[in-house]
Amino acid sequence: MAKIHAGDCDFLSGGTDLLPNYKCGLNAHGHVISLQHIAELKQIGRDSKGAFTIGAGVTLAEIERNTEVPRGLADCAAHVASPLLRASGTLGGNLMLDNRCHFFNQSYFWRRSLGYCLKADGDRCHVVPQINEGGKSVLNNKVCVATHSSDLAPMLIALGAEATFVGPDGKRTIKLNDFYWGDGIARFDRKPGEILSHVTLPPWAFNVRSGWKKLAPRQSIDFSVVGVAAVLELDGDKVKTLRVALGAVDTTPVLFDFSQQEKRREPGHYLFVDAYKNMPEAVGKKLDDALIETIAKHVQTQAQPKLNVPMAPDYRKKMCGVLTRRLLTELRGGGK
Ligand SMILES: Cc1cc2nc3c(=O)[nH]c(=O)nc-3n(C[C@H](O)[C@H](O)[C@H](O)COP(=O)(O)OP(=O)(O)OC[C@H]3O[C@@H](n4cnc5c(N)ncnc54)[C@H](O)[C@@H]3O)c2cc1C
Ligand code: SF4
């Protein structure tokens, strides 16, 4: 069925993101295919090979209540939207969430009055109206900076998750960190007709401390305007593994792997933040207040929030550092 409609269909899981967008006339397709009754997408737990997998159709409420998943992930799921939305919203829908922007998440009437924008129906960006091309400032009709707003994506990236897709050309598995790519329109590397089947957590994700903090206008219901996920493994008081991932500050989640095992994709795929530029050393060092401060400063310096979701970019940038510091301090003490 996916092959028949590939290119002109959307998949529907819980519908908590897709349906509000359809109501606003945002990039609606000719066909909507429901995934709600595919039992295989609803499995959570160890598979026959002992790997821990979470099906794309598992709801956020189920992840929140699951006692086996890393604590950071359960906590992250527990802070998405509201209990009602978490009862319908799924992992798959959360990881494929559309990017958000003041000028995009509006009614058709509202957007028409402004002349639309690049991400839906228009030919210009209202957030970054001009770009530099060959030394000249020209109209930006190329790059959308809409904010990536999924909470679970940065948490699962920090935990080293892999995503498995099935589609007309078969099955493929990709590091979740490599899946997110490009500007606020492209967002990720999903092929036409593909559905996310499940994510798999590596064994080491169960031996580390993990946590999540989010900044939102209201702690209940609102989308994050900064999300910080962290994973920490200590050898005595020395750092063995330290990964921080930011959400809601760019067009994709941003991984800072201070253990330097996973690099970001090459510049050119990634538009705004270079997480690895001047990255401080952490592995083998004592995780004292000074090191936490250095790491928090680095995350804050590299973060580049845009003025297209609530709260001022300068404040959100500062909060990237503040939340990183708070989270690492908590994890050093053993977590919540
Ligand atoms: C008021 C409000 C507050 C919210 N707050 C938050 C928040 O704080 N944090 C947050 O992260 N989200 C938030 N959300 C967004 C949303 O509720 C959740 O992200 C939810 O998990 C989306 O899942 P869903 O199953 O409802 O997605 P759907 O709406 O069904 O789908 C979303 C997108 O994913 C695609 N999709 C779904 N499943 C698959 C699959 N298996 N394979 C391929 N594509 C798929 C759909 O085609 C669609 O493009 C909020 C939404 C609302 C309305
Ligand atoms: S950032 Fe993207 S969604 Fe926002 S106005 Fe620009 S093109 Fe539109």
Side-chain angles (χ1 to χ4, degrees):
M1 185 145 81
K3 197 153 197 169
I4 297 169
H5 298 310
D8 187 28
C9 79
D10 266 318
F11 295 112
L12 179 84
S13 291
T16 62
D17 184 53
L18 190 77
L19 298 183
N21 285 354
Y22 267 51
K23 282 184 189 161
C24 290
L26 292 165
N27 302 323
H29 284 89
H31 306 273
V32 173
I33 299 173
S34 174
L35 305 176
Q36 282 175 348
H37 300 293
I38 304 179
E40 289 85 345
L41 299 185
K42 296 178 191 287
Q43 315 284 332
I44 179 167
R46 304 261 164 207
D47 66 13
S48 54
K49 293 184 187 132
F52 196 93
T53 64
I54 309 174
V58 172
T59 65
L60 301 177
E62 288 169 292
I63 297 174
E64 173 187 353
R65 286 196 301 265
N66 189 285
T67 52
E68 277 187 85
V69 299
R71 284 305 79 204
L73 180 59
D75 198 33
C76 176
H79 286 89
V80 172
S82 66
L84 209 58
L85 288 161
R86 294 196 292 274
S88 315
T90 62
L91 171 71
N94 192 274
L95 296 182
M96 303 299 142
L97 197 67
D98 205 353
N99 286 25
R100 299 186 67 77
C101 171
H102 279 321
F103 296 97
F104 174 72
N105 299 101
Q106 301 288 351
S107 68
Y108 187 76
F109 173 76
W110 191 101
R111 291 183 296 111
R112 190 181 56 182
S113 67
L114 199 68
Y116 311 108
C117 80
L118 273 178
K119 190 162 161 64
D121 309 310
D123 62 358
R124 64 200 59 209
C125 174
H126 304 295
V127 179
V128 182
Q130 303 280 318
I131 47 171
N132 189 309
E133 240 177 35
K136 275 196 199 150
S137 178
V138 297
L139 180 78
N140 176 15
N141 57 7
K142 293 193 173 68
V143 181
C144 163
V145 294
T147 299
H148 190 270
S149 302
S150 154
D151 285 343
L152 268 64
M155 190 68 245
L156 284 165
I157 284 173
L159 287 164
E162 290 182 338
T164 299
F165 292 85
V166 287
D169 298 324
K171 189 169 165 182
R172 69 179 175 120
T173 297
I174 178 173
K175 276 254 174 210
L176 196 57
N177 187 39
D178 291 338
F179 174 63
Y180 294 102
W181 173 93
D183 77 343
I185 297 169
R187 304 170 3 248
F188 43 59
D189 179 20
R190 183 157 67 89
K191 316 275 182 260
E194 257 188 353
I195 64 167
L196 175 71
S197 153
H198 59 271
V199 298
T200 306
L201 289 170
W204 64 259
F206 296 86
N207 302 327
V208 292
R209 302 171 190 182
S210 59
W212 167 253
K213 293 228 177 276
K214 102 182 219 180
L215 175 72
R218 295 166 295 182
Q219 279 299 310
S220 136
I221 202 90
D222 283 333
F223 281 90
S224 300
V225 292
V226 172
V228 181
V231 157
L232 175 68
E233 188 181 13
L234 292 176
D235 185 1
D237 60 358
K238 307 252 172 23
V239 173
K240 195 169 169 201
T241 308
L242 203 169
R243 293 158 69 96
V244 174
L246 286 182
V249 295
D250 211 312
T251 57
T252 68
V254 185
L255 173 68
F256 298 77
D257 182 359
F258 292 93
S259 330
Q260 299 274 350
Q261 270 154 28
E262 206 172 328
K263 290 280 183 196
R264 198 63 181 85
R265 289 171 79 164
E266 288 304 306
H269 291 293
Y270 197 56
L271 292 166
F272 305 108
V273 179
D274 184 355
Y276 292 90
K277 192 174 169 191
N278 304 324
M279 181 176 261
E281 296 270 321
V283 173
K285 290 195 168 175
K286 186 175 172 194
L287 190 64
D288 53 16
D289 289 351
L291 183 57
I292 290 181
E293 194 55 40
T294 306
I295 287 165
K297 274 260 157 57
H298 177 73
V299 171
Q300 177 174 328
T301 305
Q302 299 304 325
Q304 293 191 37
K306 308 290 179 302
L307 184 54
N308 59 4
V309 291
M311 299 193 170
D314 280 358
Y315 174 63
R316 287 163 55 216
K317 186 174 173 70
K318 197 165 177 192
M319 287 305 288
C320 290
V322 170
L323 296 183
T324 303
R325 186 172 59 243
R326 286 184 192 158
L327 186 51
L328 291 180
T329 308
E330 238 173 63
L331 291 180
R332 181 181 58 184
K336 278 197 258 177

